Amino acid sequence: MARITISNLRHAYVPQPARPEDYALKRVDLDWNDGGAYALLGPSGCGKTTLLNLISGLLQPSEGRILFDDVDVTGKTPEQRNIAQVFQFPVIYDTMTVYDNLAFPLRNRGVGEEEIKRRVSAIGDMLELTPTLARRAAGLTADGKQKISLGRGLVRSDVNVIMFDEPLTVIDPHLKWQLRSKLKELQQRIKRTMIYVTHDQTEALTFADQVVVMNNGEVVQTGTPIELFERPMHTFVGHFIGTPGMNLLPCEVKGGKAYIAGHAVAAANAKLAASATGKLELGVRPEFVSFAKTGFAAEITRVSDIGRYKVVEARIKDLPVKLVVPEGEAIPEKQARLAFDPHHTQIYADGWIAGAPR
Amino acid sequence: MNKTYNNKAWWFVLPVFVMVAFNALVPLMTVVNYSIQESFAANEFFWAGARWFQELLRNPDFHASLGRQIVFTGAVLLIEMPLGLAIALCMPRTGPWVSVCLVLMALPLLVPWNVVGSMWNIMALPDIGLLGKGLNALGINYNYTRQPAAAWFTVILMDVWHWTSLVVLLCYAGLVSIPDAYYQAAKIDGARPWAVFRFIQLPKLKHVLTIAILLRFMDSFMIYTEVIVLTGGGPGSTTKFLSIDLMQKALGGFDLGPAAAFSIVYFLIILVLSWLFYTLMMREEAN
Amino acid sequence: MALELKNVTKRVGAEIHIHATSLVVEDGSFNILLGATRSGKTTLMQVMAGIQRPTSGEIWHHGKNVTGLPVQARNVSMVYQQFINYPMLSVYENIASPLRVAGLGEADIKARVGRAAEILRLTPMLNRKPSELSGGQQQRTAIARAIVKDSDIIFLDEPLANLDYKLREELRDELPRMLSGRNAIVFYATTEPHEALLFGGSTMTLHEGRITQFGKTSEIYREPNSLLSARVFSDPPINTARVAKKGKSISVQGGSTWPLTAEQAKLPDGEYDIGIRPHHVTTKKEAAVTGAVKGRVLVTEISGSESIIHVDTGGRTWVSQSHGVHPHKVGEQATLHADVAHALFFNQQGKLVA
């Protein structure tokens, strides 16, 4: 278990990086506690896998340092860093049994057979692999194989951090949520530092205590799932997290108040935005838009019934707005009035939340 | 998947059918025909039944040739398979040297087979050849035209030079297709290079190795051109393999019957052994 | 009655991939095939398209028997999960390919490709090759190729499965718009109930080669005809329990007794299987009539706006999905409240009775 510090890290895949675009990973500084669950969330190509491979040692960074417990491990190999990694597709040793697969890392380190038996049984129990221990690993289903991959990381007692690189990619959709919960359960039980890379916000938000949202090689925001949901620092975070994503409406700020299409609307940071320049947008999540007696006049264009809630698409003048309506609540036919929750309405200037330091 | 029926495809295949029938089926049937009959100058035929087969199988000459052939094929497989795999493991998988290595490996395969025979023939000559003169200069009494051991040595060396590249290229293709993640996981698990070979590379190469062994087995069992140009089957008949024996019988005498019987037996040996080997490999796979 | 399947089956060797299926689908409808992997969605679509031939049964389209007709002779198009495009052709040529096969004139092709590219927002990329495009753009090219030729039936086999989560959402929003204004029958296969609900239209739930239910999406969601259909149409999986009803209450396995609504009390006494969706099991008592689910917390998953709590009720695991953040510690005892009014009752024959 280790505290992980990432300092001034940058990485380029080209040998002589000159311009900022050459860097796959632009400057990253992170500080993570021991035993926590972390997620790197972002779309394809945002640099999350690069960052993961730099932490695990499979890649050497172009610049910067990585420290485990204040010890500089930047030059060390993955084996020397004592990490474990679960890949996108199950990586198992086909010719060995499940037991031998789990014992493999211990045997390579010279651990005695008695101790191996004890640890493998414990891990097999935790992962519900006990009935299959004697079977050939190649015969298991995809989620069984991923559990073996995970198990190989868990059997070692000296593991500093366990990394997951989009581990649920090949799992059957109806088994995904099961394995996902299992991973969360394990993390809460054994409290080892775990880093989970994904493009799926549900996976990231349900697994991690702290989520690092990335885009284009940069960290956009780091925070708890609640922080990211309730107070996104950047419109990208607002858009990327939440189903559906945040509503963004162009607005103006005059005299300390925000105006959309001529109507005033209360925003949490309206006063701070008074001196903001650049493209101004008002962001409010569909969960915080509701039908009200007074408010913006809107026309309802589409209603989708998701079962536990409904997604209503409406238009204020010609600006599209989505709102989430709980099951059972009535929805007007065509015309309605919409209100935004002022505590959860923010003004963004050029993408960044107005008034907060970058 | 049983696709919807489309008749027109059969018409396209018809010309190929006719060609294959003409070039393969008809001659094959002719050989079978000759093997069960006795003929004088291919004009008059008398039924011989299994006589040629019986004579052949009792012929000590045939046994000797078969024995030599089995030893040769065995030696060649034992050397070329591990050597080819070892070379493939050493070849780089990325970078500028990849194409250079691939071209170097492909070169021996591009040389016409009779040229291969001639090359080694001249190179192994004890008085003017690089190999022959070199070995003799080192103090080894080497003359492949007189010594059976030297002849065998030269024939096997020639085949290894000629065909190991095929094994190398097949194994290399197999190695390149193993995803990086396996090597990364092995690194993380602390596996030594030998363990990586045994638990990752070898299992993943199973199919490729099966193909390589089958190909080399069939080709080496039928080897003719290179050997005939190099040693002519000699000295004496010490490197007279099955195909050379067959050719001498077929073209030497005018007895087509025994030669045809020989051909059929030859064909069946290869067929049965290949089938046996393939089934064994596939059954192990299914388990 | 645009497309009709009469007792269609598909057998491969000893396995039955599609059991006897009869189906009637109208022009202009959006039909979702919902089921787990290997439930038969792809096989059924390929049989309907004519790529595979049914082992028995007939397929009728617009009054004609098309069972033996190969797919080339039918006017259908298909979009796959893997982005299938001709790698050597430009995006323009890719979209134009079915029209060229049909022998349309250049002017006609240009107009149609232009229209399709505009709908799919591909106009700036018409000259590029598929390998130069992102995953989302490649899939749009495939969809453009499918809609350009005005097919009678459009098949989409999990087209968004290989895309990033957010990209999937965006394309999903746009897909109805892309396919609107046509009289074609659309078939869309997916494993996610969420997606089915977002699209609306009609849904057929598939399980092991059988269509268990077919109807308007929101209807079959609210009224599944069997526990099996309810299971297929639930993510996270629906909570189930076997109960014994007596009078105005039911006793649930594990000991507790739950009250019933007036309507439910009218059911005949006896054993039933009930299903309650996770979002009707909450941490705070919100509904009028609730039953208590007591157990040990196994894991708490908190996304920004809701909490999913898994509780071990002595053998069974119940899942609750509540709005808001409720951080429960692992191992602590918790009581969840199940909204009995929304419980689905299935009788011994597996049919929905309440």
Side-chain angles (χ1 to χ4, degrees), chain A residues 73-297:
Chain A
V73 297
T74 319
K76 296 201 180 166
T77 65
E79 199 187 312
Q80 290 169 327
R81 296 188 199 196
N82 271 327
I83 54 114
Q85 187 153 336
V86 179
F87 297 87
Q88 247 177 357
F89 59 90
V91 173
I92 55 164
Y93 303 104
D94 295 320
T95 49
M96 298 192 216
T97 60
V98 176
Y99 183 94
D100 287 328
N101 257 280
L102 293 173
F104 189 61
L106 296 174
R107 290 200 178 122
N108 285 331
R109 284 169 172 79
V111 177
E113 278 307 310
E114 274 296 316
E115 176 71 7
I116 290 181
K117 187 165 178 169
R118 201 177 56 79
R119 297 238 210 112
V120 172
S121 315
I123 298 300
D125 202 33
M126 219 192 279
L127 293 168
E128 287 158 21
L129 286 171
T130 321
T132 57
L133 279 177
R135 277 184 27 198
R136 274 187 75 167
L140 265 61
T141 54
D143 61 314
K145 290 185 186 174
Q146 280 296 49
K147 285 195 203 166
I148 297 177
S149 285
L150 175 60
R152 282 209 312 276
L154 291 173
V155 281
R156 294 155 47 198
S157 58
D158 57 350
V159 165
N160 280 322
V161 57
I162 305 181
M163 331 265 232
F164 297 89
D165 190 357
E166 305 198 40
L168 302 183
T169 307
V170 295
I171 308 295
D172 266 356
H174 67 283
L175 288 174
K176 248 192 238 239
W177 82 277
Q178 224 176 56
L179 194 51
R180 202 183 77 208
S181 321
K182 190 95 206 138
L183 291 177
K184 175 75 176 173
E185 190 192 316
L186 273 171
Q187 204 284 328
Q188 288 183 334
R189 229 162 67 168
I190 64 177
K191 292 250 174 285
R192 293 226 201 134
T193 313
M194 293 193 188
I195 307 177
Y196 192 111
V197 165
T198 180
H199 58 79
D200 183 327
Q201 46 156 334
T202 317
E203 285 176 32
L205 296 175
T206 51
F207 178 81
D209 306 321
Q210 282 269 319
V211 178
V212 178
V213 180
M214 295 179 71
N215 190 24
N216 268 331
E218 288 182 298
V219 173
V220 181
Q221 184 174 356
T222 309
T224 64
I226 302 160
E227 281 167 22
L228 292 171
F229 187 79
E230 304 216 330
R231 202 158 176 272
M233 292 284 179
H234 193 280
T235 49
F236 175 77
V237 177
H239 155 76
F240 199 77
I241 294 186
T243 307
M246 189 179 237
N247 290 306
L248 285 171
L249 307 162
C251 69
E252 297 170 316
V253 175
K254 283 193 289 239
K257 277 199 180 189
Y259 290 84
I260 294 183
H263 292 280
V265 59
N269 61 347
K271 296 230 173 56
L272 292 164
S275 52
T277 52
K279 179 170 163 202
L280 292 176
E281 291 169 302
L282 191 90
V284 59
R285 289 202 181 275
E287 289 83 351
F288 299 119
V289 179
S290 51
F291 292 118
K293 295 239 170 47
T294 56
F296 289 97

Side-chain angles (χ1 to χ4, degrees), chain B residues 54-70 242 245:
Chain B
Q54 285 166 344
E55 272 185 24
L56 177 74
L57 293 173
R58 283 195 212 113
N59 187 342
D61 259 355
F62 173 73
H63 297 160
S65 297
L66 183 59
R68 278 179 230 121
Q69 180 69 72
I70 291 175
L242 275 178
D245 196 0

Side-chain angles (χ1 to χ4, degrees), chain B residues 22-218:
Chain B
F22 204 67
N23 287 327
L25 290 177
V26 168
L28 186 61
M29 288 300 107
T30 313
V31 169
V32 173
N33 196 15
Y34 282 159
S35 70
I36 50 178
Q37 298 184 78
E38 190 170 340
S39 70
F40 287 117
N43 270 334
E44 296 159 32
F45 290 92
F46 304 92
W47 175 259
R51 177 144 71 98
W52 302 131
F53 291 97
Q54 285 166 344
E55 272 185 24
L56 177 74
L57 293 173
R58 283 195 212 113
N59 187 342
D61 259 355
F62 173 73
H63 297 160
S65 297
L66 183 59
R68 278 179 230 121
Q69 180 69 72
I70 291 175
V71 172
F72 174 71
T73 297
V76 147
L77 281 177
L78 275 173
I79 299 176
E80 288 176 12
M81 294 303 302
L83 181 61
L85 182 53
I87 297 178
L89 284 169
C90 297
M91 279 168 64
R93 267 163 243 147
T94 50
W97 286 99
V98 169
S99 359
V100 175
C101 287
L102 286 175
V103 168
L104 277 176
M105 281 298 120
L107 284 176
L109 299 170
L110 298 172
V111 182
W113 298 1
N114 55 347
V115 175
V116 172
S118 309
M119 262 171 61
W120 283 87
N121 187 322
I122 298 173
M123 195 158 74
L125 284 175
D127 43 355
I128 57 168
L130 182 62
L131 178 68
K133 189 130 193 237
L135 283 178
N136 280 307
L138 285 173
I140 308 170
N141 181 5
Y142 169 83
N143 187 344
Y144 75 90
T145 55
R146 303 255 171 87
Q147 300 150 350
W152 269 84
F153 168 73
T154 319
V155 166
I156 292 180
L157 187 59
M158 171 183 68
D159 195 272
V160 167
W161 175 87
H162 192 191
W163 289 109
T164 307
S165 300
L166 180 64
V167 181
V168 170
L169 289 174
L170 284 172
C171 290
Y172 182 77
L175 282 173
V176 156
S177 68
I178 301 178
D180 255 342
Y182 282 92
Y183 295 111
Q184 291 172 348
K187 244 200 264 190
I188 291 170
D189 282 341
R192 303 277 175 293
W194 169 250
V196 172
F197 175 72
R198 190 172 151 210
F199 294 118
I200 297 177
Q201 291 170 317
L202 209 51
K204 298 242 169 272
L205 283 177
K206 184 106 88 116
H207 281 242
V208 157
L209 287 174
T210 309
I211 294 175
I213 294 181
L214 270 177
L215 282 178
R216 284 311 304 135
F217 165 71
M218 292 192 289

Side-chain angles (χ1 to χ4, degrees), chain A residues 44 172 188 205 239-240 305, chain C residues 37 164 166 173 222 302 330:
Chain A
S44 293
D172 266 356
Q188 288 183 334
L205 296 175
H239 155 76
F240 199 77
D305 184 351
Chain C
T37 36
D164 261 4
K166 250 316 152 173
D173 271 346
R222 297 232 136 76
I302 303 180
V330 175

Side-chain angles (χ1 to χ4, degrees), chain A residues 26-47:
Chain A
K26 300 173 177 82
R27 174 147 164 199
V28 173
D29 288 281
L30 288 169
D31 214 331
W32 281 334
N33 286 328
D34 199 355
Y38 301 96
L40 298 175
L41 176 66
S44 293
C46 70

